[in-house]
Amino acid sequence: MVKAYELRGLSKEELLKTLGDLRKEKSDLAVAKVTGGAASKIAKIKTVRKNIARVLTVHNQQQKESIRRAAAGQKYLPKDLRMKKTRAIRLAMTKEEKKIKTLKQTKKLRHFPQRKYAIKC
């Protein structure tokens, strides 16, 4: 079984070589299953599939991290690296945008301030 922390230390070429080996092993096991191979080989298919998924996961994480490093100083991030959130949250106004008042609002507040009443006791 392949461990993810072991895979993280490997280079891209080594990961792809491991992936190729695992895929070859999976195809061999599939042939063994069809031809009526041993039960141990049939049971091993699941672990090989999981190992392939682990290798692909680590490979994709490394790729994304290298793209992140390349795009670090740029003005805009690629869309797949931006925060997903929800459409409503992404399109919502920022705090600064909410604070801004229109010219009409500022004039109205200047000319008609809120009145202060002294309460008689």
Side-chain angles (χ1 to χ4, degrees), residues 16-78:
L16 293 175
K17 184 180 177 296
T18 309
L19 184 63
D21 296 342
L22 287 169
R23 285 187 170 155
K24 174 84 171 87
E25 185 180 354
K26 183 183 167 218
S27 66
D28 293 343
L29 290 171
V31 169
K33 181 181 176 183
V34 170
T35 57
S40 61
K41 282 193 172 186
I42 294 170
K44 195 175 179 188
I45 291 175
K46 181 180 177 183
T47 58
V48 172
R49 275 181 36 240
K50 302 290 181 188
N51 289 340
I52 289 172
R54 278 188 198 95
V55 171
L56 284 172
T57 300
V58 170
H59 179 257
N60 290 335
Q61 284 174 345
Q62 287 180 351
Q63 262 189 328
K64 205 156 202 173
E65 187 58 38
S66 66
I67 293 170
R68 234 178 246 289
R69 272 188 257 113
Q74 295 176 352
K75 185 175 180 181
Y76 297 110
L77 272 178

Side-chain angles (χ1 to χ4, degrees), residues 101-113:
K101 290 187 169 47
T102 63
L103 184 63
K104 189 173 183 177
Q105 281 176 316
T106 53
K107 284 181 180 179
K108 184 179 176 188
L109 287 172
R110 191 179 317 125
H111 297 305
F112 303 102

Side-chain angles (χ1 to χ4, degrees), residues 70-100:
Q74 295 176 352
K75 185 175 180 181
Y76 297 110
L77 272 178
K79 284 197 172 181
D80 59 333
L81 296 181
R82 294 178 194 171
M83 293 295 287
K84 179 71 173 128
K85 299 190 178 179
T86 62
R87 188 163 186 243
I89 292 172
R90 288 194 312 266
L91 297 178
M93 289 196 289
T94 62
K95 288 179 182 178
E96 290 77 27
E97 289 171 338
K98 285 180 185 176
K99 285 181 194 175
I100 296 172

